[in-house]
Amino acid sequence: MPEQQERKKSQEGDVIAYIDAANLDKGIKALGWKIHHKKFRSWLRQKFGVTEAHFFIGLIPEHARFYTALQRIGFQLIFKEVLYTKNGTAKGNCDAELVLHAVRDVYERKMSHAILVTS
């Protein structure tokens, strides 16, 4: 596959964040807070030295502007097909995809540390 190009091996200090967007959103809302994604990305960089922030999110075409904004502030979006429950609730189910990416990156030595943001 063309998108599977050989990457350089991790250099000391490479840190990748793996973020489950739905679980982050639910957790923040449960606390009664609102998330400021730009500040969150900056905090990940400053606090943990995150060089890449992978944002796992369900793909809903109506949210295209939001996705573009996330990419502009430094998130690398990884989309998952959205399924809808009987009551019409969107379900992206990104958990397994997040785990597979993280394990692959560990195996391929693309990082020295990982930050997981999920439930």
Side-chain angles (χ1 to χ4, degrees):
M1 290 181 168
E3 64 265 9
Q4 291 181 333
Q5 297 175 353
E6 186 67 30
R7 285 190 49 187
K8 66 177 176 118
K9 295 293 182 196
S10 168
Q11 296 190 7
E12 191 63 34
D14 285 350
V15 179
I16 300 176
Y18 301 88
I19 304 157
D20 183 323
N23 288 335
L24 172 65
D25 185 58
K26 287 178 191 173
I28 292 296
K29 286 182 179 176
L31 294 169
W33 300 347
K34 288 187 178 181
I35 188 163
H36 189 284
H37 290 91
K38 187 174 183 177
K39 289 181 181 178
F40 177 58
R41 179 63 184 101
S42 179
W43 178 77
L44 288 169
R45 187 179 300 109
Q46 292 173 7
K47 176 85 174 172
F48 300 106
V50 169
T51 53
E52 295 179 32
H54 298 260
F55 205 79
F56 294 80
I57 191 165
L59 179 60
I60 301 174
E62 298 85 46
H63 297 159
R65 293 179 77 196
F66 175 61
Y67 303 147
T68 300
L70 288 171
Q71 289 172 319
R72 283 189 181 134
I73 54 181
F75 290 103
Q76 296 175 8
L77 302 187
I78 298 163
F79 293 106
K80 182 74 175 166
E81 181 182 357
V82 172
L83 302 175
Y84 291 90
T85 62
K86 290 180 183 178
N87 65 359
T89 304
K91 183 85 172 121
N93 201 17
C94 296
D95 306 76
E97 194 77 22
L98 184 149
V99 170
L100 286 173
H101 273 75
V103 169
R104 181 200 65 204
D105 289 349
V106 167
Y107 178 77
E108 294 177 359
R109 296 187 174 138
K110 293 183 180 179
M111 68 180 141
S112 63
H113 294 84
I115 305 294
L116 302 176
V117 179
T118 187
S119 60

